[in-house]
Amino acid sequence: MSQHVSSRISGFYKRCLEERLHAIQALGLLDEEALAHLASGGGLPTAVADRMCENVIATHALPLGLALNFRVNQRDVLVPMAVEEPSVIAAASNAARMVRRSGGFSGEADPPIMTAQVQLDDVPDAEAAAARLEAARASLLAAGDAAIPRMVARGGGCRDLEARVLSAELGVLVVHLYVEVGDAMGANLVDTVAEAVAPLVQRIAGGTLGLRILSNLTVRRLVRVTATVADDALGGADVASGIARASRFAELDPYRATTHNKGFMNGLDAAAVALGQDFRAIEAGAHAYAAIGGRYRPLSTWERIPGGLVGRAELPLAVGTVGGATEVHAGVRAALQLVGAKSARELAVVLASVGLASNLAALRALASEGIQRGHMRLHERKRALGGASTAGGEPAAPPSGEGKRFAAERAEAPLAVHQAGGGT
């Protein structure tokens, strides 16, 4: 997004779908194909779907919305999010608005280094074999590069090697090859490297060849983001202190850390789906990283500073702006145009910022009115639109007690969205 385009679009949530599309069109971010795709409703043709996976019988749609107010590394960003859950987009937008007042999110991503693994079993003297493999580093990296010449021509390729003895007694050894994959997510590239190098690894080390595949725990492809937010933006010092105490709770207790991280991933996953990323790999890597020290910990933390809070997050994040769904899915191409990331590293920082915003929104709700009040108002808004019905088409009766509890809130639903930050 160019510097003169703002991610704050006043009253966006009040507009009808056609007016929202006109507002986005006026920003000049989308080409004609992307605009036509969104104007048509954003569906995926079944002929395209049939090429994307197997046994296709139809397509399954998710709502596509925009999180607003994000400013990341001094650039305003519109964040497309595909999600069925009410409140996720509104909450992220609201938290981004709070952080924006203090300058927005800042972040950096490591070079796009993926990890290829080659497994060996029954290796005689595994420690000595590991030493031989380390000594053969140059030839092994060259063999890996030879398998991916086009990536090497674009400036990528194999960068490092590590031999790890997992069990000297059983002779289990694994070789890691670290491969720079440019703006791709890189799974296919590193799988190619692993398979190409495996025979040479076996000749050097001996033993029985096992798996040859990437690892989704991409510890050399981390992203780190930070944000500050003022007490008055959050609703006062008491709320800010409550957020910090909730964050400390997650640091001390893995049961809480699990739900804390789920709140972080709520926003990140929704943006990843909209942008055609492998959210399953992202989830696996994030949770493995949270437990890498032997105890499951939060991916993000919030600490008190004078007059506010500072939030920090760090996690592995392998994403791509080329390849995969970007080649065939018009909606993914439109989403990438909206977010405007020029590289995979820039995209990773945006996605991690969305995670941190979602985490802040959840903790603020927990530290103030509780998570249910606003969340369930938005659920009821979905029900009021006819989401719950009987097989005969009549509106379904709410579960016992829900009707009375939410009846008065139906009229408040649009206000709830506004207060949650859905576009203001």
Side-chain angles (χ1 to χ4, degrees):
M1 187 182 298
S2 62
Q3 289 292 334
H4 68 277
V5 175
S6 174
S7 62
R8 284 187 58 76
I9 305 177
S10 181
F12 193 72
Y13 78 99
K14 296 179 181 178
R15 307 182 192 188
C16 68
L17 278 168
E18 184 178 1
E19 290 170 337
R20 291 175 194 158
L21 284 172
H22 284 160
I24 298 304
Q25 181 178 9
L27 297 176
L29 300 172
L30 299 172
D31 61 25
E32 291 185 6
E33 179 187 7
L35 281 169
H37 173 79
L38 296 178
S40 72
L44 179 67
T46 52
V48 175
D50 196 34
R51 298 201 306 271
M52 294 179 71
C53 70
E54 59 282 345
N55 295 348
V56 168
I57 59 170
T59 61
H60 186 78
L62 288 172
L64 178 67
L66 282 181
L68 305 179
N69 305 321
F70 276 87
R71 189 162 179 78
V72 181
N73 285 343
Q74 303 304 309
R75 183 176 75 88
D76 273 32
V77 181
L78 293 175
V79 182
M81 299 173 75
V83 62
E84 85 296 345
E85 179 73 9
S87 82
V88 172
I89 297 173
S93 297
N94 190 36
R97 179 179 57 81
M98 297 175 193
V99 171
R100 184 186 184 91
R101 291 174 53 180
S102 301
F105 299 86
S106 299
E108 61 176 7
D110 292 338
I113 303 292
M114 295 292 285
T115 305
Q117 290 191 298
V118 178
Q119 172 201 357
L120 292 169
D121 295 318
D122 307 316
V123 176
D125 194 350
E127 296 288 354
R132 293 196 301 275
L133 288 164
E134 295 279 3
R137 177 188 307 266
S139 60
L140 288 166
L141 296 180
D145 281 344
I148 50 170
R150 287 189 295 176
M151 176 52 65
V152 172
R154 293 195 296 271
C158 297
R159 297 290 182 256
D160 199 5
L161 176 146
E162 179 184 15
R164 301 169 55 227
V165 177
L166 301 185
S167 172
E169 180 182 359
L170 298 175
V172 180
L173 183 152
V174 62
V175 174
H176 285 191
L177 291 104
Y178 297 103
V179 186
E180 187 164 353
V181 297
D183 286 322
M185 183 271 187
N188 291 332
L189 283 163
V190 293
D191 287 351
T192 297
V193 167
E195 292 181 0
V197 172
L200 179 56
V201 168
Q202 186 182 30
R203 285 200 297 272
I204 294 170
T208 303
L209 196 59
L211 302 187
R212 293 141 286 170
I213 192 170
L214 87 162
S215 170
N216 289 120
L217 181 54
T218 56
V219 294
R220 298 201 184 187
R221 196 175 184 177
L222 301 180
V223 61
R224 291 161 290 273
V225 295
T226 63
T228 59
V229 58
D231 287 349
D232 60 351
L234 292 165
D238 287 346
V239 175
S241 294
I243 292 170
R245 289 189 293 109
S247 179
R248 184 179 63 195
F249 180 15
E251 292 183 74
L252 295 172
D253 180 33
Y255 293 88
R256 173 59 206 153
T258 302
T259 309
H260 179 103
N261 288 344
K262 191 269 183 183
F264 184 96
M265 300 304 293
N266 266 354
L268 196 159
D269 280 346
V273 171
L275 290 157
Q277 307 303 312
D278 187 345
F279 69 94
R280 300 156 299 268
I282 291 171
E283 281 274 351
H287 294 297
Y289 190 71
I292 200 168
R295 177 182 175 86
Y296 189 85
R297 301 184 64 83
L299 296 166
S300 57
T301 59
W302 293 88
E303 296 180 78
R304 286 295 263 146
I305 57 174
L309 292 169
V310 60
R312 299 181 178 89
E314 179 180 87
L315 68 155
L317 196 50
V319 297
T321 56
V322 297
T326 66
E327 306 293 334
V328 295
H329 197 304
V332 169
R333 292 196 295 271
L336 286 167
Q337 289 177 28
L338 284 169
V339 81
K342 303 302 182 185
S343 68
R345 295 172 75 176
E346 185 179 358
L347 182 61
V349 173
V350 171
L351 288 173
S353 299
V354 179
L356 193 58
S358 296
N359 177 230
L360 175 62
L363 293 182
R364 179 177 178 270
L366 287 166
S368 53
E369 68 175 9
I371 201 74
Q372 283 296 83
R373 185 177 177 186
H375 188 65
M376 293 308 295
R377 276 202 299 262
L378 290 169
H379 268 293
E380 184 61 12
R381 177 172 179 261
K382 181 170 69 173
R383 287 168 51 87
L385 292 173
S389 62
T390 64
E394 294 297 320
S400 177
E402 284 191 354
K404 290 183 179 180
R405 182 163 71 245
F406 296 128
E409 294 177 350
R410 289 184 178 179
E412 299 175 21
L415 178 60
V417 176
H418 171 68
Q419 290 173 336
T424 61

